[in-house]
């Protein structure tokens, strides 16, 4: 089955700095890569996603890049703010079958004011 | 609000007991996933149901079982509970499989289970 590795497990930055979280996946059949943000005690919520036919996608301060050949994708957050502090999960989902998203172990992002 | 409802929000029970967690998916979603999130752990996939039938199994213990009913709500049954089963249990739903395009999974607020 799919295996998703996510790094780093913890990321501490100063407000205004950029943050980058990296993930790798193993199943070449995966074609959908969502990123979820989970604030303390709350449910994971989608913040951005990318499909395998696209190399990069941007939404305001958040961008995601995908390298299908190397099987890795990354989340970039620019001009970080304290409210960006949360746990971020990457996931990979195959193109058929049960479409089950496999999640990475999460990155705890701490943005210091 | 994701449209996915989970009850109860909190549950405290003793070791050896049995509990049932309930999930109502978003209107129209046929796929329901259950995930377990332990302290400092990611989201571990347990099981998926699609339109009433089991579609896939992950790292689900034999003491755990689930089902999806004709009205599409799902229940996760946890029995012979151990201290290590204490975790946040999430249900998610999506229209996966109803179209040929992958889409996001919508999560409920979770049920926090504490086994004492």
């Amino acid at each position: 089955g799919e295996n998703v590795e996510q790094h780093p497990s913890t990321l501490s930055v100063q407000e205004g700095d950029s943050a980058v979280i990296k993930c790798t996946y193993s199943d070449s059949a995966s074609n959908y890569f969502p990123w979820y943000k989970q604030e303390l005690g709350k449910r994971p919520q989608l913040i951005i996603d990318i499909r395998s036919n696209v190399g990069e996608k941007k939404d305001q301060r958040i961008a995601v890049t995908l390298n299908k050949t190397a099987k890795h994708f990354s989340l970039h957050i620019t001009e970080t703010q304290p409210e960006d502090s949360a746990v971020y999960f990457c996931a990979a989902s195959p193109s058929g079958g049960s479409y089950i998203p496999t999640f990475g172990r999460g990155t705890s992002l701490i943005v210091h004011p | 609000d994701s449209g996915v409802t989970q009850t109860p929000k909190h549950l405290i029970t003793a070791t050896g007991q049995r509990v049932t967690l309930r999930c109502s998916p978003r209107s129209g979603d046929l796929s329901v996933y259950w995930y377990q999130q332990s302290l400092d752990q990611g989201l571990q996939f347990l099981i998926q149901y699609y339109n009433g039938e089991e579609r896939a199994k992950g790292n689900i213990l034999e003491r755990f079982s689930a089902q999806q009913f004709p009205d599409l709500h799902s229940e996760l049954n946890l029995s012979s509970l151990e201290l290590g089963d204490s975790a946040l249990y999430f249900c998610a739903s999506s229209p996966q499989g109803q179209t040929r395009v992958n889409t996001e999974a919508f999560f409920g607020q979770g049920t926090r289970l504490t086994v004492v």
Side-chain angles (χ1 to χ4, degrees):
Chain A
E2 177 64 274
N3 182 47
V4 177
E5 299 284 341
Q6 182 173 349
H7 299 280
S9 57
T10 304
L11 181 57
S12 184
V13 300
Q14 288 296 128
E15 183 177 0
D17 288 349
S18 295
V20 180
I21 302 170
K22 298 183 179 182
C23 291
T24 61
Y25 62 99
S26 61
D27 190 350
S28 56
S30 289
N31 71 343
Y32 177 64
F33 307 92
W35 286 87
Y36 288 81
K37 176 183 179 182
Q38 185 180 25
E39 297 177 354
L40 191 62
K42 297 193 175 180
R43 63 184 172 91
Q45 289 186 270
L46 182 80
I47 56 171
I48 195 167
D49 56 12
I50 191 167
R51 299 181 188 279
S52 59
N53 59 345
V54 174
E56 184 174 357
K57 184 176 179 181
K58 191 173 181 179
D59 182 4
Q60 298 182 335
R61 295 186 297 110
I62 295 173
V64 59
T65 59
L66 170 65
N67 183 326
K68 283 178 55 180
T69 303
K71 293 195 184 72
H72 66 69
F73 55 115
S74 301
L75 178 71
H76 303 252
I77 305 174
T78 59
E79 300 172 24
T80 54
Q81 300 167 5
E83 51 265 38
D84 293 330
S85 296
V87 178
Y88 292 81
F89 291 97
C90 63
S93 186
S95 56
S98 58
Y99 298 92
I100 299 168
T102 300
F103 288 84
R105 290 174 66 89
T107 295
S108 177
L109 174 64
I110 303 166
V111 180
H112 299 281
Chain B
D1 184 7
S2 66
V4 180
T5 304
Q6 286 188 249
T7 57
K9 287 186 179 179
H10 302 277
L11 199 49
I12 301 175
T13 190
T15 54
Q17 294 299 304
R18 181 179 188 275
V19 297
T20 297
L21 313 183
R22 182 187 169 101
C23 169
S24 293
R26 287 189 330 151
S27 176
D29 285 352
L30 301 183
S31 246
V32 170
Y33 307 87
W34 286 97
Y35 287 88
Q36 179 191 56
Q37 186 175 40
S38 302
L39 192 63
D40 294 332
Q41 295 289 314
L43 293 156
Q44 299 293 317
F45 169 68
L46 296 178
I47 198 165
Q48 179 204 12
Y49 276 82
Y50 180 83
N51 201 21
E53 295 191 359
E54 181 183 305
R55 175 66 69 91
K57 265 186 175 180
N59 299 321
I60 188 167
L61 300 172
E62 286 191 9
R63 301 183 285 108
F64 297 180
S65 65
Q67 53 186 326
Q68 186 179 30
F69 296 86
D71 66 353
L72 300 178
H73 91 270
S74 178
E75 292 180 356
L76 179 66
N77 301 296
L78 315 176
S79 61
S80 302
L81 285 167
E82 302 174 358
L83 296 178
D85 297 328
S86 296
L88 195 52
Y89 291 84
F90 283 106
C91 165
S93 79
S94 81
Q96 301 280 34
Q98 294 164 246
T99 71
R100 293 188 182 275
V101 179
N102 247 323
T103 63
E104 73 176 284
F106 295 86
F107 284 81
Q109 294 286 359
T111 292
R112 182 167 296 281
L113 173 66
T114 303
V115 183
V116 298

